[in-house]
Amino acid sequence: MTVRVGIINVTGFAGMEAARLLWNHPEAELVAATGRSLAGQQLGEAFPHLAAYADFPITSELEAEVDVVFSALPTGASAEACAPLVEQGVRVIDIAADFRLREPAAFAQWFGKDHPAPALLDRAVYGLAELHAGEIANADLVANPGCYPATTILALAPAVAAGLIEPRVFVDAKSGISGAGRGTGGGFSYSDVNEDVSAYRIANHNHQPEMAQELSRLREGPEVAVTFVPHLVPMTRGIHSTCYAPLAEDVSQSEVLALYRDFYADAPFTSVTDAPPHTKHTYGSNDCLVHPTVDERNGALVAVGVLDNLMKGAAGSAIENMNLMFGLPQAAGLDRPALYP
Amino acid sequence: MTVRVGIINVTGFAGMEAARLLWNHPEAELVAATGRSLAGQQLGEAFPHLAAYADFPITSELEAEVDVVFSALPTGASAEACAPLVEQGVRVIDIAADFRLREPAAFAQWFGKDHPAPALLDRAVYGLAELHAGEIANADLVANPGCYPATTILALAPAVAAGLIEPRVFVDAKSGISGAGRGTGGGFSYSDVNEDVSAYRIANHNHQPEMAQELSRLREGPEVAVTFVPHLVPMTRGIHSTCYAPLAEDVSQSEVLALYRDFYADAPFTSVTDAPPHTKHTYGSNDCLVHPTVDERNGALVAVGVLDNLMKGAAGSAIENMNLMFGLPQAAGLDRPALYP
Amino acid sequence: MTVRVGIINVTGFAGMEAARLLWNHPEAELVAATGRSLAGQQLGEAFPHLAAYADFPITSELEAEVDVVFSALPTGASAEACAPLVEQGVRVIDIAADFRLREPAAFAQWFGKDHPAPALLDRAVYGLAELHAGEIANADLVANPGCYPATTILALAPAVAAGLIEPRVFVDAKSGISGAGRGTGGGFSYSDVNEDVSAYRIANHNHQPEMAQELSRLREGPEVAVTFVPHLVPMTRGIHSTCYAPLAEDVSQSEVLALYRDFYADAPFTSVTDAPPHTKHTYGSNDCLVHPTVDERNGALVAVGVLDNLMKGAAGSAIENMNLMFGLPQAAGLDRPALYP
Amino acid sequence: MTVRVGIINVTGFAGMEAARLLWNHPEAELVAATGRSLAGQQLGEAFPHLAAYADFPITSELEAEVDVVFSALPTGASAEACAPLVEQGVRVIDIAADFRLREPAAFAQWFGKDHPAPALLDRAVYGLAELHAGEIANADLVANPGCYPATTILALAPAVAAGLIEPRVFVDAKSGISGAGRGTGGGFSYSDVNEDVSAYRIANHNHQPEMAQELSRLREGPEVAVTFVPHLVPMTRGIHSTCYAPLAEDVSQSEVLALYRDFYADAPFTSVTDAPPHTKHTYGSNDCLVHPTVDERNGALVAVGVLDNLMKGAAGSAIENMNLMFGLPQAAGLDRPALYP
């Protein structure tokens, strides 16, 4: 039995990446895809790299029966579109931010509007398979993690869960430009962005509460305080998150490596590297590479995580969650080496 | 009277950038330039962008009388070459790391060899004009700051000097590839570096002790502890340093901005921006742009500094130091807008 | 006496580049700059790399007395704005395409509208200093060459003028993205343009008739037929024009090099290189580098030209024309090595 | 039955790309891989993006029984390594240039040495599936096309075969830097190559005779004369070949499009686009996109071809040839959309 998948808003980068992955999925198939601005065009005509979908229309509403929907709408609009689907018994994986924060008040504070479907928040499962595979398997509504939080949480989770660090982290993340989305305005033009690094929304980005909430769930005691600064760097794909925290106890480099390796021993996509990892080693793959370093001089931990923001940071992770929800092998359709160079 | 300048090792990126700047300097002139591997060629032939130096030979030794020498040799070799010049009364600006650390033991620890001229360390002045203009004006030996330390110290100096932050900083720096030098091997090939971000020498880079030493001089009390992680990003020029520290007192965003603006009120090249600065706004200029942000949620300061690593981070700063040493206007030959886009 | 310059539409890339160059011009000064969308802002505030112009307002109309105006408006609008200025005796350098084609019918054909000021076409001088320095010096209206034509004409002029090639050329040009202008839409976003090469307006770009017209003026006989294909490559600045033509006579590589060198012997900015030139060797400079190759196997000439599209291809060339028009040294304000790397 | 594949020189870009593709091939498996400099390491350790090959040693000689070998050695060395394998009955796909030119004298002229195995030249089949699928299926030695020739021949073949153009073409090709190979020296460092376009080996590249030979086979009459100029552009993967030729007869744009579409009607990987294609639309895929334009003004054809130089231009094409040789579906292991953005 093939899982029938619908994508809401296939015309954004995450949506089109999900379509790309589904083309080669052995047990799932794209059967419907919406996208208001391009409705009426064929998917393979609108996006030449998806030429394989030559006879697959983009529609304004989902026009086939589906088992699961990926929503890649903007935050706010996504919950509105997902709510009736959940009620109808369609499983939903929300790639937007609508179901990540558990408190409606937090949503209102960070996104500047009331949550459109607060009643669903309790049913939503945070879709990071390394931490919540069991819950995801039983979920009907999954909140796909944000790209920055996915990278950061995977870099820090073993240390937080083991109580290795103080609950005070500084997160410095560098993202490729595709994180800003498709069809974005002049600020992301090649001429402006090439040969440029800049920080934005310093200590004020809406992925910060998601990191704080999810890291805090991993340990007893006070909330984990997170200072988060995202940066744009001149590349298309990739996130590099460098996380700093005071050590809570004396620990050696080899002990930390062992603890991290143990934590991810069964994870098919997250692995611990001996040397600092490169974002390019995950280009187009669903891998997350993690590397902790003990700064003995200063009693601190530096934990690095890297991934492809459109794969493990968005569409790849959504496929992984779908696999878990439908009892398929976790790596189905995702077992691909990265593209290098 | 024109200042006669010699460059030792004009064939590296810093050396050739100094030659470029001297072509347009109103009161200084390049009169000799060494470079073993290319000795015998004309400077304008070896480096087509310096075609203006069509009849200017690269020699193996300095072959003209000079008032000042820029040394752009590798660390260790530089002190050996500079020592006899200082003895002869030639003023020296060392762009290498040889005279930055004040303790011979620190040099030995971080560079893995004994200092070749420890007797000169006391005469060396740290060449960051924003902090030590008076000393530089009277120096005969100037240690030009490292590119990472220059960016970081300028980002943090006002806060450290005012006691605004705890003596515990995390420094996350992103550098363009030219920081790795010219003619470097396969690891910096376009195919490997494009679409890639990676950290290296995590908490173990030899610019760390330079930052710690110079920041600590700005305040009474314990040494400033620095955890420093450099990263390579796919661009040619530019450094972006993001510095994190716990606040030592309650302070507002506007108070911090005012304090920073006051600190740099007389600095011709360092200015404080209202919004997060872009490395690209300093491309080819001698400017450093600084921007502090108070993270009220977590009681922390995030201070950003950006500059062009070959200009304010190397050759531009060397010209600025020369100007001060010879009583020229500080901005002579450097008053140029950045190249954009 | 300082030449007082006004820039119409300083907010495009060519206009802001002219402002940058004027900051360091020894005998000219920017006194007024218009830009409707940003009128009211200071120039140094709107464009951080021009921070030196901190107290220089962008206005909606020219608000100071000027000796010369650079118009960087879109084609069509530019002639409308320039015509009254020419009537008032202000000298005008038009960076748009309005006064390049000598026939109003050609303008109508290629730009889809009637020429707004056909009476001025006879007064306009084509502003390529290598070919028309004398006329430019006496002009009150100069048509600044297009970036593709400037590169191509300089690459081919010696061969065409000497009758070395048949009047049949294929021009394959590669341009950096800044040629598409500032604030352009989604098609030039970093994510779309990085890792991409594409041709556009194949054999149908409006720079083609400009090339054909100007090359044909260099020789007796039939019009030079030009097949022109522009390409976008992932870089910010630079044009590389590769021109192919059948040889009209037997000639050796050294003869062609000698002929080219002789042709440009007195040109301050165009030079002939021994090896294929790199666009990067002209980054930020006003230089054009030219290199002809005889394909003996097939009896063809391959002529390469490279330059910085915003400098010799736009604003640098405009400054050069101004210098000639006002009797200043041709290289005033432009004698700068390129930025490398 | 799974085809057992050996790769000679897995450590170059083409070799490692073949290994990447074989990981997901449904009916072939990598069983041995050589690479002298890294012999002894595991493939997944030497190349982190191939981490899936964690327990797969790189050896100095092929150490398993194989059905087919991909040779990615340098030209000259490759024929030496392939000759004994062919004698032993192992099928060989040579990714080097050793078996492409049919005349030993041409090899000697262009590669500067005698051919190491001239007796095998008659057995070698030129491995461009669009033109020679039948021969490839029966071959025991396949000469995989060069990246530039593959792009160019596919762009021109329909026009040449139909006698649409004169036998005189100008080929202007733009290649990403990976075409220069892995571990190449300073000339391809990021700092030198970013923001740069340059031509090299103008009308003197050893892919020229390959183009001329293969295009000439497509028609009666005189040899096709080819002037070929390769360029490097700042991207990692991709080739864009723009081909110019005088039309031999009057033909309309729609007629040419129809002729091209007809020619490639059965080709699984080459298709004809309505608009100029982008290299990025083939990133990581085995597709070649072709687009012809009639320049009516000048009676010329402009034919564009784009592909990924490591895929359809090297390893992807090698897999395709293997599929044909072993009776597998032509697209096995290759039916993947490109990665975008």
Side-chain angles (χ1 to χ4, degrees), chain A residues 109-110 168 170-174 190-204 208 225-229 231 233-238 240 242 244-246 276-281 283 291 293-295 297-302 304 306 340-341, chain B residues 109-110 168 170-174 190-204 208 225-229 231 233-238 240 242 244-246 276-281 283 291 293-295 297-302 304 306 340-341:
Chain A
Q109 176 192 346
W110 284 97
R168 176 75 193 94
F170 297 92
V171 176
D172 187 292
K174 302 92 183 159
Y190 188 90
S191 297
D192 289 314
V193 167
N194 192 38
E195 286 288 333
D196 189 41
V197 173
S198 63
Y200 67 104
R201 295 200 207 167
I202 295 176
N204 197 31
Q208 184 268 332
V226 177
T227 296
F228 169 54
V229 181
H231 301 73
V233 298
M235 63 184 190
T236 305
R237 289 171 177 241
H240 187 293
T242 317
Y244 304 84
H278 292 241
T279 61
K280 189 158 184 156
H281 291 150
Y283 203 88
H291 179 73
T293 303
V294 172
D295 175 12
R297 198 169 288 112
N298 298 299
L301 181 75
V302 181
V304 165
V306 305
Y340 191 94
Chain B
Q109 177 193 345
W110 285 96
R168 177 73 194 95
F170 297 92
V171 176
D172 187 292
K174 301 92 181 160
Y190 186 89
S191 297
D192 289 315
V193 167
N194 193 39
E195 285 288 333
D196 188 41
V197 173
S198 63
Y200 67 104
R201 295 198 208 168
I202 295 177
N204 196 31
Q208 184 268 332
V226 177
T227 297
F228 169 54
V229 181
H231 301 72
V233 298
M235 63 185 190
T236 305
R237 290 172 177 241
H240 187 293
T242 317
Y244 305 82
H278 292 241
T279 60
K280 191 159 183 155
H281 291 149
Y283 204 88
H291 179 74
T293 303
V294 172
D295 174 13
R297 197 169 289 113
N298 298 299
L301 181 75
V302 181
V304 166
V306 304
Y340 191 95

Side-chain angles (χ1 to χ4, degrees), chain D residues 21-213:
Chain D
L21 292 169
L22 288 167
W23 183 257
N24 292 113
H25 198 291
E27 307 191 52
E29 187 183 7
L30 184 64
V31 299
T34 77
R36 302 244 165 117
S37 63
L38 299 175
Q41 290 191 44
Q42 305 300 313
L43 186 50
E45 170 195 358
F47 303 113
H49 73 294
L50 297 178
Y53 289 102
D55 298 312
F56 192 103
I58 303 173
T59 53
S60 46
E61 303 297 330
L62 289 175
E63 291 189 354
E65 208 165 330
V66 296
D67 301 306
V68 61
V69 160
F70 297 164
S71 171
L73 283 168
T75 294
S78 192
E80 279 179 46
C82 293
L85 292 165
V86 175
E87 297 311 322
Q88 291 159 34
V90 174
R91 292 199 234 179
V92 169
I93 298 167
D94 181 28
I95 303 180
D98 295 43
F99 297 103
R100 296 177 193 160
L101 300 183
R102 310 190 134 214
E103 299 300 327
F107 183 91
Q109 176 192 346
W110 284 96
F111 295 96
K113 49 188 159 192
D114 287 339
H115 196 285
L120 289 179
L121 286 175
D122 280 349
R123 289 165 74 173
V125 169
Y126 192 72
L128 196 54
E130 282 78 358
L131 301 178
H132 308 294
E135 287 174 83
I136 294 165
N138 296 311
D140 52 7
L141 173 57
V142 165
N144 221 52
C147 51
Y148 288 125
T151 326
T152 301
I153 295 165
L154 291 170
L156 285 171
V160 171
L164 208 67
I165 55 175
E166 300 289 347
R168 176 74 194 94
V169 298
F170 297 92
V171 177
D172 187 293
K174 302 89 181 162
S175 173
I177 310 297
S178 65
R182 177 174 160 264
T184 42
F188 304 106
S189 79
Y190 187 90
S191 297
D192 289 315
V193 168
N194 192 38
E195 287 287 336
D196 189 42
V197 173
S198 63
Y200 66 104
R201 296 199 208 166
I202 295 177
N204 197 31
H205 189 285
N206 57 41
H207 282 183
Q208 184 268 332
E210 183 181 342
M211 296 177 190
Q213 167 187 291

